[in-house]
Each structure stands twice: as C-alpha cells, then as structure tokens.
Amino acid sequence: AQKITQTQPGMFVQEKEAVTLDCTYDTSDPSYGLFWYKQPSSGEMIFLIYQGSYDQQNATEGRYSLNFQKARKSANLVISASQLGDSAMYFCAMREGGNTDKLIFGTGTRLQVFP
Amino acid sequence: DTEVTQTPKHLVMGMTNKKSLKCEQHMGHRAMYWYKQKAKKPPELMFVYSYEKLSINESVPSRFSPECPNSSLLNLHLHALQPEDSALYLCASSQGMENNEQFFGPGTRLTVL
C-alpha cells in the first residue's frame, strides 16, 4: 500500500488565487512527521512546511499552510495568493516513528500558475 | 551558510568510466543523504550517513559507492554505470531531529552513455 498518496498529477490556478494540493498518508505509528517540498524545474528541493503528528495546531509559513486532519490522515497544502513563481512540482513526504532519517515521498503534483 | 552545494552540475560518462559526485554542507548537520530522482518521479533514498558512518543503504548496487570523508563532505563514487542510472542525483543534509527538515542541494544531472 502507498504510504503517501498525492492524487492530483497536475493542478492549474490563476495568479492571486488560493490552491489546495492534496496529500493522504498511511501509518500505524503514532509518532510521525509530514513535510512539503517544492521542486522548480531547476531541480532543487525546497522545504516549505512541517507538521508533527502531535502538533495541536495547523502549521503555517507565510503563504503556505497545512490543513492537517489527523482522523482522515490527510495533510493538504494550501497556497494563498498564488504567484507565477509558485509553478513547480510539489511533493508531500512523511517521516515515520523514531526513524528520523528516512523520508517517504509521494508522487508529486505539478502546479501551474497562470496570469 | 544555509546551503548544500553539489558538484558537478552536469556529468556525462561512459559505462566504463569512473567518476565522483561531491556534496558539501557547512551547517553542522549530523546526517547526510544521497537520493536518485528519475524524470517525473519522486526522489528515492539511496544512502544515509549519520555522524560520518553509513546508517542506511537502500540496497543500492555496488557500482555506487558512497564516502563521507568528514562531517561536511559526502561523495558518491560511480563505476561501470548503466544507461538506466541516468538521473538527477540529489544530496541533502539534516540536523536529524524529528522536526528537522532535510536541506537539499541543486543536484547533479547524470547521463550515462
């Protein structure tokens, strides 16, 4: 079974609008962490936001927020006020339990922002 | 200094060549990683070094040989590669605590002819 599922291969959004990128995960470990990364066409993976399984509040970092619904095992990324520079591949990833070194990545969502 | 650097940016090699990829970080991170990423796929973990010792090898073929000379440097030695090994090779580093993100370098685009 997939540990991390991103069901949207591609998304389009108009500049200045908000967009939600979906991510669901599967783990039986009560301790885990969820990460979102952005990968522009240049190739570098850029860390955006982190949510720990015990965090009571949804994580926010500037225009990025994470809609964490633990019972549904979902960790959707919300980008507000989209910019042309947000066009990139977005990966959701999970770290399970005490293994702090291994990240499991989803298949990614390609976001395209149009004027 | 909050970046991970990788050299070279691009590498083309033949199947009989020996080459090395280099990665450097000066953030004092205790963990360093090699990932392989094929086009339109997520990164796949290859190796993890923790405190300069190999802690994870994801069953990578022996034609890939990692080396961690010190806490700031990570190398990936390549020998007798196959065309299917052509990919983007990403290096990352992390403090290694539960909520610590991995910082990635820009990658080396490898083409094996």
Side-chain angles (χ1 to χ4, degrees):
Chain A
Q2 293 283 345
K3 291 271 189 176
I4 292 279
T5 302
Q6 295 180 254
T7 57
Q8 306 153 314
M11 290 283 285
F12 287 90
V13 66
Q14 189 165 31
E15 207 176 0
K16 300 179 186 175
E17 296 295 310
V19 63
T20 298
L21 307 184
D22 295 341
C23 174
T24 57
Y25 59 92
D26 182 24
T27 181
S28 56
D29 200 308
S31 174
Y32 53 89
L34 297 156
F35 301 79
W36 276 93
Y37 282 86
K38 171 185 177 181
Q39 188 176 38
S41 54
S42 58
E44 185 171 354
M45 298 279 284
I46 301 166
F47 166 73
L48 297 177
I49 198 165
Y50 166 81
Q51 181 85 43
S53 60
Y54 295 119
D55 292 344
Q56 295 295 315
Q57 298 196 333
N58 287 346
T60 60
E61 289 284 350
R63 293 187 299 112
Y64 304 108
S65 61
L66 202 150
N67 184 0
F68 182 46
Q69 300 197 26
K70 199 168 180 177
R72 295 185 179 182
K73 293 189 175 180
S74 74
N76 299 338
L77 176 71
V78 180
I79 306 175
S80 63
S82 297
Q83 302 172 355
L84 296 177
D86 294 334
S87 294
M89 196 74 170
Y90 289 79
F91 290 100
C92 180
M94 178 172 67
R95 171 202 50 78
E96 277 184 299
N99 189 343
T100 58
D101 281 338
K102 191 166 180 178
L103 280 183
I104 304 163
F105 285 88
T107 51
T109 296
R110 179 161 298 282
L111 176 67
Q112 295 189 56
V113 182
F114 60 93
Chain B
D1 188 353
T2 58
E3 67 171 358
V4 175
T5 58
Q6 289 186 245
T7 55
K9 283 192 184 324
H10 301 275
L11 179 62
V12 179
M13 60 187 290
M15 290 189 283
T16 58
N17 292 157
K18 284 185 182 180
K19 296 286 185 184
S20 296
L21 309 185
K22 296 187 184 303
C23 174
E24 191 166 0
Q25 58 91 9
H26 293 287
M27 294 177 277
H29 288 167
R30 67 104 179 131
M32 295 186 76
Y33 313 77
W34 279 116
Y35 288 87
K36 173 183 177 179
Q37 187 178 24
K38 301 284 277 184
K40 300 183 181 179
K41 298 287 187 184
E44 298 172 19
L45 183 65
M46 300 174 72
F47 302 104
V48 180
Y49 273 81
S50 178
Y51 296 110
E52 301 170 46
K53 292 197 182 330
L54 184 64
S55 61
I56 296 177
N57 176 344
E58 292 285 283
S59 303
V60 179
S62 60
R63 57 186 184 269
F64 295 91
S65 174
E67 179 197 19
C68 189
N70 60 55
S71 60
S72 301
L73 291 173
L74 185 66
N75 298 324
L76 186 63
H77 303 298
L78 314 172
H79 174 54
L81 294 194
Q82 304 296 310
E84 58 265 28
D85 296 322
S86 298
L88 179 68
Y89 288 84
L90 292 161
C91 174
S93 71
S94 170
Q95 277 287 31
M97 304 300 287
E98 285 190 356
N99 61 341
N100 288 148
E101 69 271 28
Q102 293 181 16
F103 288 81
F104 283 79
T108 294
R109 290 194 185 273
L110 174 67
T111 303
V112 181
L113 300 176

